Amino acid sequence: QHLYIILHAMTEIEGNCSSHDEFYVRYYVGHRGEFGHEFMEFELSPSGKLRYANNSNYRSSTMIRKEVYISPAVVEETRRIIQSS
């Protein structure tokens, strides 16, 4: 079994960041196992669109996909947390 974790963040780290900078985050964790390719993924785009996907074939489950828009304040706080880490 393999476990994959991907954190992809693109932002302007050098200099001062304003709310107009491009900011994109993708978090993926998954593996191939007894039930095939199972994974969970979050994606946050500069527009505030937050996408979630969860694929599990356990007991013939189907893929779950959700999409919401979050406020600019939440996007900025996420950016701040990632930049300070």
Side-chain angles (χ1 to χ4, degrees):
Q1 263 186 356
H2 298 286
L3 177 67
Y4 302 100
I5 299 176
I6 299 170
L7 174 60
H8 183 224
M10 294 183 346
T11 186
E12 187 67 37
I13 295 177
E14 299 174 6
N16 294 331
C17 290
S18 70
S19 61
H20 302 294
D21 292 332
E22 287 295 311
F23 178 70
Y24 171 83
V25 176
R26 178 175 176 243
Y27 174 81
Y28 168 92
V29 61
H31 69 97
R32 291 196 185 275
E34 179 181 348
F35 301 105
H37 181 207
E38 298 182 302
F39 67 88
M40 181 179 63
E41 176 180 45
F42 291 93
E43 181 179 74
L44 176 57
S45 66
S47 67
K49 181 168 43 172
L50 176 63
R51 294 176 49 195
Y52 167 78
N54 187 336
N55 186 38
S56 174
N57 296 322
Y58 181 69
R59 294 191 177 187
S60 301
S61 294
T62 60
M63 184 180 296
I64 299 168
R65 291 182 187 266
K66 301 290 180 183
E67 186 175 298
V68 297
Y69 282 88
I70 57 177
S71 72
V74 175
V75 173
E76 287 302 313
E77 181 63 11
T78 304
R79 176 199 307 250
R80 187 196 65 76
I81 290 168
I82 290 172
Q83 286 178 336
S84 68
S85 65

